[in-house]
Amino acid sequence: GAPIEAQALLATYGQERSADSPLRIGSLKSNIGHASAAAGVGGVIKTVLAMRHAVMPKTLHVDAATPEVDWTAGAVELLTEARPWDAVDGPRRAGVSSFGVSGTNAHVVLEEAPEPPGLPDSPAIAGPVAWPLSARSPEALRAQATTLLTALENDADGLGDRNPLDIGYSLATTRTAHPHRAVVVGAAPDDLTAGLTALAQGTPAGNVATASAPGTGRPVFVFPGQG
């Protein structure tokens, strides 16, 4: 209900919008109270979840819009009820503001991520496939190769019905990239398992590449206080 915040939204996003498509306003504060320095990142989390569920969540504890704001100055509307969030003419987008005593400390515009591309259902390989692995040391890297090789060998048919593309996709996108790295490349399941065997044994192979990433230090994210 702060007039300065509402007037800022009315003057920017509330202009040149049709009456049937106003800017919808929600509030993290209505859910968890005053979050102080965590308000911005909390608003990002709430917005991402709203996009994921395609719902604009209800703002809680609102009896009436504050009379301190001229709500006729733009097409802006409080979310006093939950609303479906349909994607119209493009991806869903939302602005997230983090306010302090001096006004807006930060404002970001978020856009929903595109759907990931589908993977082929067939286990057949249409071309070379890369299986990346990484670990904190050369010994751990060989152990990673052994673990993956053992999991594949537990299938009576080796790879069985597992799609080599699925395995490569999972290795590349769901695991942390550690400094000691290797990639096994193969155009057939036997090539991939043979490369894994060589990596596990520490034996050079033509379809296995290893390298060490330079140390860059660990990133630190700081959310400072207000103002």
Side-chain angles (χ1 to χ4, degrees):
I4 293 177
E5 300 173 14
Q7 289 163 4
L9 296 175
L10 285 162
T12 51
Y13 295 112
Q15 303 303 306
E16 300 180 3
R17 302 181 67 92
S18 61
D20 59 350
S21 181
L23 173 77
R24 313 286 183 180
I25 301 180
S27 171
L28 176 73
K29 191 183 296 184
S30 77
N31 297 104
I32 62 175
H34 202 305
S36 190
V41 68
V44 169
I45 293 170
K46 180 175 180 178
T47 303
V48 170
L49 289 171
M51 288 182 174
R52 180 177 298 173
H53 294 284
V55 172
M56 290 181 278
K58 174 183 177 179
T59 298
L60 307 178
H61 315 299
V62 175
D63 296 324
T66 174
E68 300 294 326
V69 174
D70 179 10
W71 294 102
T72 65
V76 170
E77 183 177 300
L78 298 177
L79 280 164
T80 55
E81 297 294 338
R83 300 179 59 93
W85 194 351
D86 299 324
V88 179
D89 299 329
R92 298 173 181 86
R93 296 186 182 91
V96 179
S97 290
S98 174
F99 289 97
V101 291
S102 59
T104 303
N105 296 124
H107 182 79
V108 298
V109 177
L110 303 179
E111 179 179 289
E112 67 176 335
E115 290 292 330
L119 295 174
D121 295 329
S122 171
I125 303 177
V129 173
W131 284 0
L133 296 95
S134 70
R136 297 184 185 276
S137 68
E139 296 78 15
L141 186 60
R142 292 194 294 270
Q144 286 285 345
T146 300
T147 299
L148 179 55
L149 191 62
T150 301
L152 297 176
E153 289 175 345
N154 285 338
D155 284 339
D157 299 325
L159 281 172
D161 292 332
R162 302 184 188 188
N163 190 334
L165 291 173
D166 290 342
I167 296 173
Y169 180 83
S170 297
L171 290 171
T173 60
T174 64
R175 298 185 61 84
T176 301
H178 294 295
H180 293 273
R181 303 174 185 178
V183 61
V184 178
V185 180
D190 289 346
D191 297 336
L192 292 164
T193 53
L196 277 179
T197 301
L199 180 60
Q201 296 174 349
T203 304
N207 65 332
V208 178
T210 59
S212 297
T216 57
R218 300 180 64 183
V220 176
F221 297 94
V222 178
F223 295 98
Q226 296 195 32

